[in-house]
């Protein structure tokens, strides 16, 4: 909803004038051209689109030569950006076809833009007559006639949109009814031809009535780039079509509109679904059935060419019915706020529905409403707010109800002002002042009518004269009449032509000063200074020649003279000076207390007398009005001092006295010193000639008679206060003091360099007289700020300890300790697997520095203090090997020895002699570390001749004596034995041994 403001019966109430950006619209002969940011349109003399003359400079035509139909930049990125940069011309390529026609009473009048020319038929005439730019809307008007019909078409494009609309008014100017009025708009779309596409387009009925969205829309889309052209309306009297042969319908408008089939000759009137397209080089269009027009009646219609689908909703909104109030268009829901003068009578005004004549309207009853049906109405405008509602017949179903509110406001009375207001020329002026209703805005003008108001106005005072300004008040939207404010700017008085006369004797009051002002016979207030002091104002009236006389003046200097006139205006200031001299009195007697030294107090003496003014002056800018002034002197203070006295306006001749100031010794600029024990105390003072120096100070009573001195190797006894006294040959003294402090120097001793074994921990020791120490590096150290830190570094390290001084004057002290870390001797024991009860030499590896060995435990070893002992055992053992070097550092490692048996510990003879000679008579199992599960012997025939089970080895009683079943075997030959033993070290895993034995007899 928008609010609109204007005034009825008074001045326009708007305060701010909107400055519109420069959009292009122009007439060229009887043609018109419109240019927005994204659309450009050419309108021919007959109202068809497509100019017959070249487009003006700054446009972007792509028609033959520089002709312009319409073009668009749908991407809104500029006319030179993108591929393609813009589309169009949309219909001028090839055989152009665009235009409109109207049919009535059997007459068919056409306005076409064809190949190379525009044309009228059927008695149709007209031309483009006007253009306008209002806000963001750029418009051109075409007006013409066809028989009894007056036709007006306003084509408008929005500056930032990608569409343009045409609103058409058709009026019957005859005294007879015009019957069966039809209107058509048609185009042959060639959207992409000029950018490399073809003539064929994808053509659709996007909306056909009736439909829920209340729209009619037929479109054509390019096949290459998708360039879009839609021709649409929201008029319930509209019907779209697609021409499938040729570029325009062969049937009349009435035949097209009233056909009940989906196709009539070369024109498609319906496609089953909106998604179905007809693809060819065709024409598209919309036909309107405007019905019958009674004499004097008119009807409206509107449609849009939409060149970007993104702008469809905006375009349809722009072609919906709108309100027309007193010739101005408003949208439904708007509020028109207007101003009326107090006591204004009720008046009749027009309130119509524009572009809604295609509907049957019913108005809600309101006081003063002239009609309750139709599009045209009159209302009674009083002081009450009224909301008007018009509802379309539901049978149409294309638009919603229309609502508009007319809200009158009373124009306030002119404000009260302060007038007249007087200023002096070049004076500081205040803003004009006016008062009115609470909350109202005061507006100020430089003229009684017209002009642009401001909310604050400060009048100029540069030129003397009388000026009139005007004030009004704006209460909401309504502005009052204007009240005059008179400003009077008075001239500044002028003064010049000064003359004077001195007093006739010392103290006389008969001197005078005379000067000229700008007006004779006028009273002024005169101001001036006497001897540098402001004097009481004097009222004086200029004589007939314009002169003012200041009389009764005494001897002295008169400056800063100016006058103020009766308006309070101040003249320029005459600074003079004007010195009135006249006779002087005798000089006073004066003296001083010199000679002095710089820094002493000078005392000036003279007799003190009542009613006497004193003025002392002297060297170095000295002045005083005391009778006997005093001041502390410097070397610049020496010289002649003068005194002038004034007694009862009688000024004396100056008296003088000479003051001698001897220079004092210069400032030695001593500075306190803070030193460290043993350092140098060096004091340097620039000695001045003819000056003696004496030093006293220190706890030890130091003295010296030179300006500078040095003290070597200072101690705390040398500290204390030192006083320097300097004396010039004139006896001028100067002393200064400094304080010397001596701080204790830091002492530090550290432990000696040392060595220890890797992994051990030792303590370092630092002895110092300060509490703040730190060690570096801190790696491997438990506390880097301790005096006795514990260290265990990974390698040899040089440690630096720094003792921080507690005094700024003394430096820190540092010391170093080198710590050598002896590497741990290297020993590597290798886990070993050996045969059970078989001697085996253990072979660990040692570092070259190893000189001492120890094995723990010593069990099953040939030695415990040798590098390579011999191991012999039937069980596993784990040993720790300790290796030491000459420095006593010891390393160690673990060695695991595991034993196994594989039969190698079983010994079987390969022959025996069972002859009972006591030697090798029995063949038995021999060895260690196992038990025998079974022992059997077989002859060559495989017959078992001997077997024993579950016995220990090395026992002859479990051996074979060469018999079988108690009888000696006579056949001495080879036998096969089978032995199954179980190793004592293993988990009873059997060992199978097969062999042969020879029995010898």
């Amino acid at each position: 909803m928008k609010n609109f403001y204007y005034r009825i019966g008074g001045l326009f109430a708007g305060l701010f004038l909107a400055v519109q950006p420069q959009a292009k619209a122009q007439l060229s002969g009887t043609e018109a051209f419109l240019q927005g940011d994204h659309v450009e349109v050419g309108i021919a003399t007959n109202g068809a689109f497509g100019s017959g003359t070249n487009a003006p400079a700054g446009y972007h035509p792509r028609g033959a030569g520089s002709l312009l139909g319409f073009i668009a930049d749908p991407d809104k990125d500029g006319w030179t950006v993108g591929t393609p940069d813009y589309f169009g011309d949309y219909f001028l390529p090839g055989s152009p076809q665009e235009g409109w026609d109207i049919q009535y009473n059997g007459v068919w009048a056409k306005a076409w833009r064809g190949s190379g020319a525009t044309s009228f038929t059927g008695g149709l005439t007209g031309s483009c007559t006007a253009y306008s730019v209002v806000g963001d809307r750029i418009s051109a008007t075409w007006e013409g006639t066809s028989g009894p019909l007056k036709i007006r078409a306003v084509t408008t494009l929005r500056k930032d949109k990608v569409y343009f609309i045409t609103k058409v008014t058709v009026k019957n100017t005859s005294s007879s009814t015009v019957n069966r009025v039809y209107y058509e708009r048609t185009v042959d779309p060639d959207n992409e031809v000029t950018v490399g596409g073809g003539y064929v387009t994808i053509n659709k009925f996007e909306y056909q009535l009736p439909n829920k969205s209340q729209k009619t829309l037929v479109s054509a889309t390019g096949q290459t780039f998708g360039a879009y052209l839609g021709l649409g309306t929201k008029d319930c009297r509209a019907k779209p079509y697609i021409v499938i042969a040729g570029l325009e319908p062969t049937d009349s408008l009435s035949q097209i509109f009233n056909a009940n089939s989906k196709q009539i000759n070369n024109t498609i009137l319906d496609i089953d679904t909106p998604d179905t397209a007809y693809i060819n080089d065709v024409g598209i269009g919309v036909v309107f059935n405007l019905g019958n027009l009674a004499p004097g009646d008119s009807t409206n219609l509107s449609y849009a060419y939409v060149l970007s689908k993104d702008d469809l909703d905006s375009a349809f909104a722009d072609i919906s019915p709108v309100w027309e109030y007193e010739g101005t268009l408003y949208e439904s829901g708007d509020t028109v706020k207007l101003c009326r003068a107090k006591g204004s009578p009720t008046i009749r005004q027009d309130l119509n529905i524009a572009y809604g004549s295609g509907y049957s309207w019913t108005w809600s009853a309101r006081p003063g409403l002239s009609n309750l049906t139709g599009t045209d109405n009159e209302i009674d405008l009083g002081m009450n707010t009224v909301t008007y509602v018009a509802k379309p017949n539901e049978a149409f179903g294309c638009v919603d109800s229309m609502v508009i509110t007319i809200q009158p406001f009373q124009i306030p009375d002119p404000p009260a002002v302060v007038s007249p207001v007087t200023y002096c020329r070049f004076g500081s002026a205040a803003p004009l002042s006016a008062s009115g209703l609470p909350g109202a805005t005061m507006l100020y003008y430089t003229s009684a009518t017209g002009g642009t108001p401001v909310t604050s106005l400060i009048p100029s005072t540069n030129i003397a004269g009388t000026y009139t300004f005007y004030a009004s008040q704006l209460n909401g939207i309504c502005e009052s009449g204007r009240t005059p404010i008179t400003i009077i700017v008075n001239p500044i008085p002028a003064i010049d032509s000064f003359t004077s006369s001195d007093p006739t004797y010392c103290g006389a009051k008969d001197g005078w000063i005379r000067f000229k002002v700008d007006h004779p016979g006028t009273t002024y207030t005169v101001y001036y200074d006497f001897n540098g002091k402001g004097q009481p104002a004097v009222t004086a009236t200029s004589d007939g020649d314009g002169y003012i006389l200041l009389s009764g003046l005494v001897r002295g200097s008169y400056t800063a003279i100016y006058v103020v006139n009766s308006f309070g205006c101040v003249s320029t200031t005459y600074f003079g000076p004007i010195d009135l001299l006249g006779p002087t009195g005798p000089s006073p007697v004066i003296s001083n207390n010199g000679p002095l030294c710089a820094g002493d107090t000078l005392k000036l003496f003279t007799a003190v007398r009542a009613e006497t003014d004193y003025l002392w002056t002297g060297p170095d800018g000295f002045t005083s009005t005391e009778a006997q002034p005093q001041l502390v002197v410097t070397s610049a203070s020496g010289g002649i001092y003068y005194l002038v006295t004034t007694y009862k306006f009688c000024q004396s001749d100056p008296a003088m006295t000479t003051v001698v100031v001897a220079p004092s010794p210069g400032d030695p600029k001593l500075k306190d010193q803070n030193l460290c024990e043993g350092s140098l105390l060096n004091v340097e003072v620039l000695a001045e000639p003819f000056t003696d120096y004496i030093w006293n100070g220190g706890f030890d009573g130091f003295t010296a008679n030179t300006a500078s001195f040095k003290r070597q190797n200072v101690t705390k006894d040398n500290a204390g206060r030192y006083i320097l006294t300097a004396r010039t040959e004139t006896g001028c003294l100067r002393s200064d003091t400094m304080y010397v402090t001596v701080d204790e120097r830091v002492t530090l001793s550290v432990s000696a360099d040392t060595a220890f074994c890797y992994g051990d921990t030792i303590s370092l020791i630092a002895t110092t007289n300060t509490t703040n120490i730190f060690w570096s590096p801190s790696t491997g150290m438990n506390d880097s700020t301790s005096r006795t830190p514990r260290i265990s570094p990974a390698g040899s390290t040089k440690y630096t300890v720094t003792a921080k001084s507690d005094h700024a004057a003394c430096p820190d002290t540092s010391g170093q300790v080198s710590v050598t870390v002896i590497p741990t001797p290297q020993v590597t024991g290798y886990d070993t697997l050996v045969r059970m009860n078989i001697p085996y030499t253990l072979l660990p590896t040692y570092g070259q520095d190893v000189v001492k060995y120890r094995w723990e435990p010593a069990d099953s070893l040939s030695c415990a203090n040798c590098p390579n002992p011999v191991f012999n055992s039937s069980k596993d053992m784990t040993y720790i090997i300790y290796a030491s070097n000459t420095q006593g550092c010891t390393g160690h490692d673990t060695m695991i020895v595991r034993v196994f048996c594989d039969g190698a510990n079983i010994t079987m003879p390969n022959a025996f002699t069972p002859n009972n000679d006591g030697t090798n008579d029995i063949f038995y199992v021999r060895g260690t570390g196992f038990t025998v599960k079974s022992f059997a012997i077989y002859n060559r025939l495989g017959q078992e001749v001997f077997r024993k089970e579950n016995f220990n080895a090395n026992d002859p009683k479990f051996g074979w004596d060469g018999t079988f079943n108690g009888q000696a075997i006579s056949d001495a030959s080879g036998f096969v034995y089978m032995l199954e033993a179980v190793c004592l070290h293993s988990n009873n895993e059997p060992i199978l041994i097969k062999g042969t034995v020879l029995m010898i007899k």
Side-chain angles (χ1 to χ4, degrees):
M1 178 184 294
K2 298 185 284 295
N3 295 325
F4 298 87
Y5 310 94
Y6 65 99
R7 182 170 181 167
I8 302 296
L11 298 176
F12 179 72
L15 171 60
F16 303 102
L17 299 180
V19 179
Q20 300 296 339
Q22 182 60 44
K24 296 178 181 178
Q26 54 189 292
L27 292 180
S28 177
T30 56
E31 296 187 325
F33 294 89
L34 304 177
Q35 184 180 52
D37 289 347
H38 314 300
V39 173
E40 295 178 2
V41 179
I43 305 173
T45 301
N46 66 353
F49 297 119
S51 66
T53 58
N54 289 340
Y59 284 70
H60 304 84
R62 278 183 175 157
S66 294
L67 303 183
L68 176 64
F70 51 83
I71 61 173
D73 176 23
D75 292 335
K76 299 183 179 181
D77 56 2
W79 297 104
T80 60
V81 178
T83 303
D85 45 7
Y86 62 93
F87 292 119
D89 203 286
Y90 277 78
F91 68 89
L92 283 182
S95 299
Q97 175 61 46
E98 201 286 332
W100 62 278
D101 49 351
I102 191 165
Q103 181 180 332
Y104 60 93
N105 290 345
V107 177
W108 194 358
K110 299 181 180 180
W112 298 122
R113 175 64 171 90
S115 298
T118 61
S119 62
F120 289 112
T121 66
L124 183 63
T125 62
S127 66
C128 296
T129 59
Y131 66 88
S132 66
V133 178
V134 179
D136 68 340
R137 299 175 185 267
I138 307 160
S139 302
T141 300
W142 180 92
E143 293 179 297
T145 62
S146 177
L149 299 181
K150 180 179 181 180
I151 305 163
R152 183 174 186 266
V154 179
T155 297
T156 301
L157 59 85
R158 300 278 292 275
K159 183 175 183 293
D160 60 346
K161 300 295 184 181
V162 192
Y163 63 83
F164 57 94
I165 65 174
T166 299
K167 294 188 175 182
V168 180
T169 302
V170 180
K171 184 175 183 179
N172 180 5
T173 61
S174 71
S175 58
S176 302
T177 298
V178 178
N179 298 309
R180 300 179 304 282
V181 181
Y182 295 88
Y183 179 95
E184 174 192 38
R185 193 86 203 196
T186 181
V187 65
D188 168 26
D190 297 323
N191 307 359
E192 298 177 348
V193 172
T194 61
V195 293
Y199 286 94
V200 174
T201 53
I202 303 169
N203 308 282
K204 291 183 180 181
F205 292 123
E206 296 195 37
Y207 293 101
Q208 292 176 282
L209 294 176
N211 64 72
K212 188 175 180 179
S213 60
Q214 307 169 357
K215 301 171 184 175
T216 295
L217 178 63
V218 58
S219 68
T221 304
Q223 290 185 299
T224 303
F225 302 106
Y228 180 84
L229 184 155
L231 177 56
T233 182
K234 288 193 74 174
D235 196 308
C236 289
R237 302 166 296 176
K239 189 173 187 178
Y241 64 80
I242 299 173
V243 179
I244 60 174
L247 301 179
E248 61 178 283
T250 57
D251 296 283
S252 68
L253 307 188
S254 60
Q255 290 174 317
I256 294 174
F257 190 88
N258 296 310
N260 293 321
S261 61
K262 294 184 179 181
Q263 181 173 340
I264 176 173
N265 294 322
N266 72 334
T267 306
I268 295 177
L269 301 175
D270 190 12
I271 298 179
D272 290 336
T273 63
D275 292 333
T276 302
Y278 186 82
I279 303 174
N280 208 335
D281 179 13
V282 301
I284 61 175
V286 177
V287 175
F288 297 83
N289 181 2
L290 305 183
N292 302 328
L293 289 178
D297 278 357
S298 63
T299 187
N300 310 108
L301 62 95
S302 58
Y303 52 85
Y305 273 116
V306 185
L307 307 177
S308 171
K309 296 193 73 170
D310 293 341
D311 281 354
L312 276 173
D313 289 342
S314 179
F316 277 116
D318 270 356
I319 56 178
S320 299
V322 295
W323 290 102
E324 182 179 8
Y325 176 57
E326 285 296 295
T328 302
L329 299 181
Y330 302 93
E331 295 180 9
S332 179
D334 287 347
T335 296
V336 181
K337 298 182 178 181
L338 48 87
C339 298
R340 301 204 66 203
K342 182 166 53 178
S344 297
T346 299
I347 59 175
R348 298 290 284 174
Q349 292 192 312
D350 292 333
L351 177 62
N352 305 320
I353 299 175
Y355 309 107
S357 58
Y359 311 92
S360 177
W361 297 93
T362 300
W363 296 63
S364 299
R366 295 290 186 271
L369 193 62
S370 62
N371 299 309
L372 294 181
T373 60
T375 58
D376 298 338
N377 227 320
E378 289 185 340
I379 63 171
D380 286 338
L381 178 64
M383 292 302 296
N384 296 322
T385 299
V386 181
T387 298
Y388 298 92
V389 179
K391 184 177 181 181
N393 191 317
E394 292 183 359
F396 287 82
C398 286
V399 294
D400 297 324
S401 295
M402 301 279 289
V403 179
I404 191 169
T405 300
I406 310 298
Q407 186 176 12
F409 290 87
Q410 180 176 306
I411 299 173
D413 294 330
V417 300
V418 177
S419 180
V421 181
T422 302
Y423 294 104
C424 296
R425 187 183 180 193
F426 302 120
S428 177
L432 298 181
S433 176
S435 59
L437 296 173
T441 300
M442 297 300 122
L443 305 177
Y444 299 96
Y445 296 85
T446 58
S447 59
T449 60
T452 301
V454 294
T455 56
S456 179
L457 194 155
I458 300 175
S460 172
T461 61
N462 291 339
I463 301 175
T466 300
Y467 304 92
T468 303
F469 298 90
Y470 300 87
S472 69
Q473 60 174 318
L474 179 66
N475 185 24
I477 67 166
C478 299
E479 183 180 1
S480 71
R482 303 180 187 182
T483 305
I485 303 174
T486 301
I487 303 296
I488 301 173
V489 180
N490 293 303
I492 296 174
I495 57 174
D496 55 17
S497 303
F498 284 83
T499 58
S500 62
S501 177
D502 295 332
T504 56
Y505 59 90
C506 188
K509 298 182 180 180
D510 55 0
W512 53 261
I513 296 174
R514 186 170 181 260
F515 57 90
K516 190 173 184 180
V517 294
D518 51 347
H519 292 289
T522 302
T523 300
Y524 297 86
T525 302
V526 183
Y527 297 86
Y528 63 92
D529 289 352
F530 173 64
N531 288 341
K533 294 181 180 180
Q535 301 299 305
V538 175
T539 300
T541 301
S542 59
D543 58 20
D545 294 325
Y547 282 93
I548 289 178
L549 180 67
L550 296 179
S551 60
L553 304 181
V554 300
R555 176 187 174 91
S557 180
Y558 294 83
T559 57
I561 302 170
Y562 65 92
V563 300
V564 178
N565 62 20
S566 59
F567 303 116
C569 300
V570 181
S571 71
T572 56
T573 300
Y574 179 75
F575 290 97
I578 299 175
D579 294 323
L580 300 186
L581 301 177
T584 59
S587 299
V589 177
I590 62 175
S591 62
N592 65 78
N593 64 333
L596 305 171
C597 294
D600 291 345
T601 299
L602 167 65
K603 298 179 180 180
L604 299 172
F605 302 106
T606 189
V608 179
R609 184 180 183 186
E611 300 183 55
T612 301
D613 294 330
Y614 301 86
L615 178 61
W616 289 89
T617 58
D620 202 25
F622 171 76
T623 62
S624 176
T625 58
E626 297 180 8
Q628 296 182 336
Q630 299 181 10
L631 74 152
V632 176
V633 296
T634 66
S635 57
S637 302
I640 300 175
Y641 286 75
Y642 298 89
L643 173 63
V644 175
T645 61
T646 302
Y647 174 70
K648 294 184 177 181
F649 302 105
C650 180
Q651 181 175 302
S652 71
D653 289 330
M656 65 179 183
T657 181
T658 300
V659 175
V660 177
V661 178
S664 294
D667 183 2
K669 300 180 180 179
L670 298 182
K671 294 182 179 179
D672 296 343
Q673 296 194 38
N674 179 216
L675 305 174
C676 189
E677 284 182 324
S679 59
L680 171 68
L681 171 58
N682 184 21
V683 180
E684 294 184 351
V685 175
L686 181 62
E688 298 178 353
F690 312 110
T691 303
D692 296 328
Y693 297 89
I694 299 176
W695 283 95
N696 292 281
F699 297 139
D700 56 350
F702 171 79
T703 62
N705 57 4
T706 58
S708 303
F709 71 89
K710 295 180 180 179
R711 302 194 73 180
Q712 302 285 347
N713 299 317
V714 296
T715 65
K716 288 185 174 293
D717 291 338
N718 304 142
R721 184 176 69 172
Y722 285 74
I723 301 173
L724 170 63
T725 302
R727 182 184 183 92
T728 66
E729 62 181 359
T730 59
C732 294
L733 299 175
R734 185 160 192 161
S735 63
D736 198 1
T737 301
M738 73 174 186
Y739 289 87
V740 176
T741 55
V742 179
D743 295 332
E744 182 180 14
R745 186 176 294 276
V746 177
T747 61
L748 174 67
S749 62
V750 296
S751 51
D753 295 345
T754 186
F756 63 96
C757 296
Y758 174 82
D760 290 351
T761 300
I762 65 169
S763 293
L764 302 180
I765 299 174
T767 304
T768 181
N769 60 346
T770 185
T771 58
N772 187 10
I773 69 171
F774 66 90
W775 296 83
S776 177
S778 60
T779 304
M781 182 176 289
N782 68 331
D783 185 357
S784 62
T785 62
S786 172
R787 297 188 183 203
T788 57
R790 301 281 291 171
I791 63 169
S792 181
S796 298
T797 305
K798 179 178 288 187
Y799 289 94
T800 300
V801 59
T802 301
K804 299 288 290 185
S805 174
D806 295 331
H807 307 289
C810 294
D812 301 337
T813 300
S814 62
Q816 291 184 328
V817 179
S818 292
V819 174
T820 301
V821 177
I822 301 170
T824 301
Q826 297 299 306
V827 55
T828 304
Y830 303 98
D831 294 347
T832 304
L833 186 65
V834 302
R835 288 186 173 89
M836 184 172 61
N837 296 118
I838 301 298
Y840 184 85
T841 301
L842 301 181
L843 299 172
T845 59
Y846 299 95
Q848 294 182 353
D849 59 339
V850 176
V851 296
K852 187 176 181 182
Y853 314 89
R854 185 173 83 254
W855 294 73
E856 290 185 0
D859 299 350
S860 302
L861 297 178
S862 62
C863 60
N865 296 309
C866 60
N868 304 111
V870 177
F871 171 84
N872 189 354
S873 177
S874 62
K875 63 179 180 178
D876 296 344
M877 292 296 294
T878 298
Y879 296 99
I880 299 176
I881 311 167
Y882 294 94
S884 303
N885 57 22
T886 56
Q887 290 87 0
C889 298
T890 301
H892 67 277
D893 197 9
T894 299
M895 187 171 185
I896 299 174
V897 182
R898 301 184 187 278
V899 299
F900 69 96
C901 58
D902 57 357
N905 55 331
I906 299 175
T907 304
M908 297 297 291
N910 56 8
F912 75 106
T913 58
N915 54 9
N916 296 317
D917 62 359
T919 302
N920 199 21
D921 292 327
I922 304 298
F923 175 60
Y924 60 93
V925 179
R926 304 177 189 188
T928 60
F930 63 93
T931 61
V932 178
K933 188 175 181 181
S934 65
F935 177 46
I937 301 173
Y938 300 89
N939 61 22
R940 60 184 177 179
L941 299 177
Q943 184 181 18
E944 183 179 270
V945 296
F946 177 81
R947 171 176 286 276
K948 292 290 183 179
E949 294 181 352
N950 300 319
F951 60 91
N952 292 324
N954 303 311
D955 190 346
K957 69 182 180 179
F958 292 102
W960 182 44
D961 59 1
T963 66
F964 177 61
N965 292 331
Q967 297 295 322
I969 297 176
S970 59
D971 184 11
S973 59
F975 295 84
V976 176
Y977 63 86
M978 298 291 290
L979 173 66
E980 182 180 1
V982 176
C983 187
L984 296 178
H985 177 70
S986 66
N987 295 325
N988 295 322
E989 295 180 4
I991 301 174
L992 299 177
I993 298 176
K994 179 180 179 181
T996 59
V997 64
L998 181 65
M999 183 172 65
I1000 302 173
K1001 290 207 173 181

